[in-house]
Amino acid sequence: MTATDPAAPWLLDTAALDRRLAVGDAPLPAFREALADADAALAAAYDAGCPVAELVAGRAGVVDALLQRLWARHLPDGPALVAVGGYGRGELHPGSDIDILILIPEGMEPPREALEAFLTLLWDVGLEVGQSVRTVAECAQEARADITVATNLMEARLLAGDGALLEAMRAATGPDRIWGGRAFFEAKWEEQIARHRKYFDAAYNLEPNIKEGPGGLRDIQMVGWVAKRHFGADSLAALVDHGFLTAAEHAELVTGQHFLWRVRFGLHLLAGRREDRLLFDHQRTLAERFGYRDDDRRLAVEHFMKAYYRAITELSRLNELLLQLFQEEILLAHDPAEPFALNDRFQARRGFLEVRDPGLFERRPCALLELFLVMARNPRLQGVRANTIRLIRRHLHLIGSEFRSDPEARRLFLDFLRQPRGVTHELRRMHRHGVLGAYLPAFGAIVGQMQHDLYHVYTVDEHTLFVVRNLRRLTVPEFAHEHPLASALMGEVERPELLYIAALFHDIAKGRGGDHSELGAADAATFCRDHGLAEADTALVAWLVENHLLFSMTAQRQDISDPEVVHAFTARMGDRRHLDYLYLLTVADIRATSPTVWNSWKDALLAELYHAARDALARGPGQRLAAGEVADAHQAEARRLLRDHAIDPEALQALWDSLDGEYFRRHSPDELVWHAHAVLTAPADEMPLIRFRQQTQRGGTELFIHAPADGTIFVRTASVLEQLGLNVADARIFTTSDGRALNSFTVLEEDGEPIHSGERLTEIGEALEAALSDPAPPPVDQRRPSRRQRHFPVATRVHFHEDPAHRRTVLQVESADRPGLLAVLGEELQAAGVRIASAKIATFGERAEDVFFVTDAAGRPLRDPDRREALAEAIRAALEREVETS
């Protein structure tokens, strides 16, 4: 069946429909029932494994038959009914829009009543219609102004009416009149670049868009549009006849298209509407429908998504190959084609790299790596010629154990990583064409490997390449303002390629089982020794891989104002070189997890820990600071700074005498000055006292509260902040000896940014004042967990650790992140008579890891095992209730 044939009988019995209409049955229920029956048959055929090309064309045929009959009842003469866009191609999925053009003869008054009746009936039947009513001249005018209109009209197909109108429209909008082949290609190419940029040039997102994302259906359509506009090719198969595709490549293109069609068709069935995002809501169900099952290593959904990612990788390669061919044929047809030798093996032709001899890779397999080194050394090259891309793919099988053991191959790979420019771009090209995965088989195993959490929004391979990109970005002066500290340190690193190797291996063992850091470190050490790196460099790379989480975990989960924490962390570093390299890898790694995960708070935390560790290393192992020394130093510096403020020295001393040394250790001199000035200059009756600082050294907005300590302040504050959509990153809770609370919170907006609006601060301040002044229970957060969070259940775990140096207990709660979580935890601690000294709040995608430093009401650690277990059970029960009610 083709798209212009009548609908297949198994989908739509047109004879039975015509008989119903002939005997006078009401048309609306007849057409509606016919469409519903056809859609049910398509769904059943999909589940039965019917080829998706038949389903896509079948639904177009059904819609053809219905529209033709409805048209005949309302507009038998005059205008022409034309299918355009995807419908014009004869491709319809269950939720696809049905784009139609109603062509009106010049000078004819549009039959408005008949058109309205026709279009209304289409919607009433259940068809999602996008329509336009134009004359041929209007079509030409709109197409000239908008390439999207021109593209839609290129795929016009007559459904009913005067075919001469369609031919006239085609002539008026053809490439000899508007949007010639060159202009059309340039515009569509720019359109694709912009579309890819919207998705950060990454096809491997956690919830990819299968139509618009890189490697998606739109990339295939783009190839078809250019082929049709410039070459007059009516199908992708015609590109084989034109010599632009081999038969094997065309088969790969069709296979990939059909795979994406099957995914999209299933998405529309599951969603009951048009849906092009492969959401978590549907991934598991589709994995089951595709026949995937859980095994010991991976979930069924991970198998399914890996197949998806690999399919779009192949489609991206074919898209690149064809666009390069089109570029040569369309844009560079008149440029001199004489090659320019780059070395004995490679040459440039029309700005593209090619081999000088088609037998090069067979004769000298190492040239498969040298090609990317040549590209990196010649930044003016626009890409690799399609004939050479084909040779790369044809000779990938040569990259085996013998190739990987070749000293020349190893030298070339290291030389490539040491290049001053082009590494990121060419590493991606190396990955796209399968060379990177062939040369590093462990990397090949993580290609398309889904990270089934909300913290990492990319596959393991894509995340890894982003880490390398972030490290390279630190070497570019134009971007130094983004991370001044990291950029400055990167300029001091003597062997940056060691960082790139560590980046390539830091997650390479994910999905194998076991500790991926330890397994990856072993792989990295083997790689370094095989490639002739010095033993000290090998040890550094392996250490970086094994400890790549240490910096971020210490900064986000521990009290880094504690000299003991800094000492233990510094001992793990050993020297300044390890500290610098690990800091740089950590910054690049966190920034590569998601476009939104990095924020000023994380930046400040990492920098604070880095500076503390650097100072400790400078002092030497025998010069450890004690907590009391830190507190005294902070207090002395704050006293010096306060000399410029109109503060009564006796009042200041009385305030500070009411606080213990922990308060001074946990706050910077700048914060001590701010607190003292706020408390001692405010009117005596301003209680609670609420103050904000929008720009702070800690990277977020700082909230300071001075109020009578009644045990409920933390819960009330957390409840208000969470109700207002704010994220609490840090909390420090202190009570004076005369019963006043001095509490500090670092807060961020939901996008990870500090609060910039004065109106927003006023709103927060008023809500806090009302809540802290009201004896009624704090409000309950009514927000529900996000759609994404509901698909990643996280078991609640409660851990207790001793902190004898500060006579307190460390309580760590791991649970699913959700609105109001911090307030719920605060309520349980309050109910158990537990005092919060401070808290560090960390969220990793769907998982929250909150750390509380707590004591009992008398200020002692929680040592009783029974009390600990009762508290843990109360927390687990409270969070389970929250899940049930949401």
Side-chain angles (χ1 to χ4, degrees), residues 398-418:
L398 297 176
I399 306 179
S401 57
E402 184 178 346
F403 181 104
R404 291 187 285 270
S405 300
D406 190 327
E408 177 66 6
R410 293 172 172 177
R411 181 191 66 79
L412 286 167
F413 191 75
L414 282 185
D415 281 354
F416 166 72
L417 291 180
R418 289 168 176 153

Side-chain angles (χ1 to χ4, degrees), residues 650-848:
E650 293 184 2
L652 174 65
Q653 191 62 52
L655 172 64
W656 282 0
D657 284 347
S658 69
L659 292 155
D660 59 19
E662 184 80 353
Y663 170 80
F664 298 98
R665 178 183 67 79
R666 292 274 291 141
H667 293 91
S668 68
D670 173 66
E671 290 168 327
L672 295 176
V673 169
W674 183 49
H675 292 182
H677 187 271
V679 171
L680 298 176
T681 61
D685 59 350
E686 189 177 353
M687 291 287 267
L689 173 66
I690 299 167
R691 294 288 186 269
F692 294 96
R693 289 201 303 180
Q694 291 174 266
Q695 303 294 329
T696 71
Q697 297 174 356
R698 287 181 164 259
T701 295
E702 190 169 351
L703 161 66
F704 173 62
I705 297 174
H706 176 226
D710 64 358
T712 69
I713 294 179
F714 178 86
V715 174
R716 292 178 184 278
T717 303
S719 180
V720 168
L721 296 176
E722 290 176 319
Q723 284 275 3
L724 292 173
L726 292 163
N727 293 320
V728 178
D730 182 72
R732 287 166 289 171
I733 313 300
F734 289 92
T735 304
T736 63
S737 57
D738 57 353
R740 290 173 292 143
L742 273 67
N743 297 349
S744 301
F745 296 83
T746 301
V747 297
L748 302 163
E749 294 281 18
E750 287 185 332
D751 62 0
E753 290 296 311
I755 301 166
H756 297 297
S757 165
E759 292 180 358
R760 176 73 159 148
L761 291 176
T762 299
E763 175 194 20
I764 298 166
E766 290 175 350
L768 283 170
E769 184 174 2
L772 295 176
S773 304
D774 188 349
V780 177
D781 198 319
Q782 299 296 325
R783 294 175 299 155
R784 297 171 62 85
S786 72
R787 172 188 57 78
R788 286 185 167 195
Q789 289 169 329
R790 291 196 294 272
H791 287 275
F792 289 88
V794 178
T796 298
R797 295 182 175 89
V798 182
H799 309 280
F800 293 91
H801 309 285
E802 296 298 335
D803 184 9
H806 303 102
R807 301 187 305 280
R808 63 189 181 184
T809 298
V810 181
L811 167 64
Q812 182 174 349
V813 180
E814 300 175 21
S815 70
D817 189 31
R818 71 204 72 177
L821 173 63
L822 192 56
V824 171
L825 294 175
E827 286 177 348
E828 294 307 316
L829 295 176
Q830 178 187 324
V834 173
R835 287 173 47 186
I836 301 171
S838 61
K840 299 199 78 170
I841 313 303
T843 303
F844 304 91
E846 76 286 355
R847 191 177 78 257

Side-chain angles (χ1 to χ4, degrees), residues 38-72:
D39 284 344
L42 285 166
Y46 177 88
D47 288 334
C50 178
V52 71
E54 293 184 23
L55 302 178
V56 169
R59 191 164 201 278
V62 168
V63 174
D64 284 356
L66 296 179
L67 262 63
Q68 287 162 354
R69 283 161 175 76
L70 288 167
W71 181 264

Side-chain angles (χ1 to χ4, degrees), residues 417 423 468 471-472 475 490 496-504:
L417 291 180
V423 172
V468 176
L471 288 167
R472 295 288 298 181
T475 68
M490 195 70 180
E497 69 271 17
L498 301 183
L499 278 168
Y500 309 148
I501 296 169
L504 286 173

Side-chain angles (χ1 to χ4, degrees), residues 562-578:
D562 184 351
E564 292 300 319
V565 171
V566 174
H567 171 72
F569 175 77
T570 306
R572 296 281 295 273
M573 299 298 104
D575 58 36
R576 173 75 182 272
R577 187 186 193 212
H578 284 72

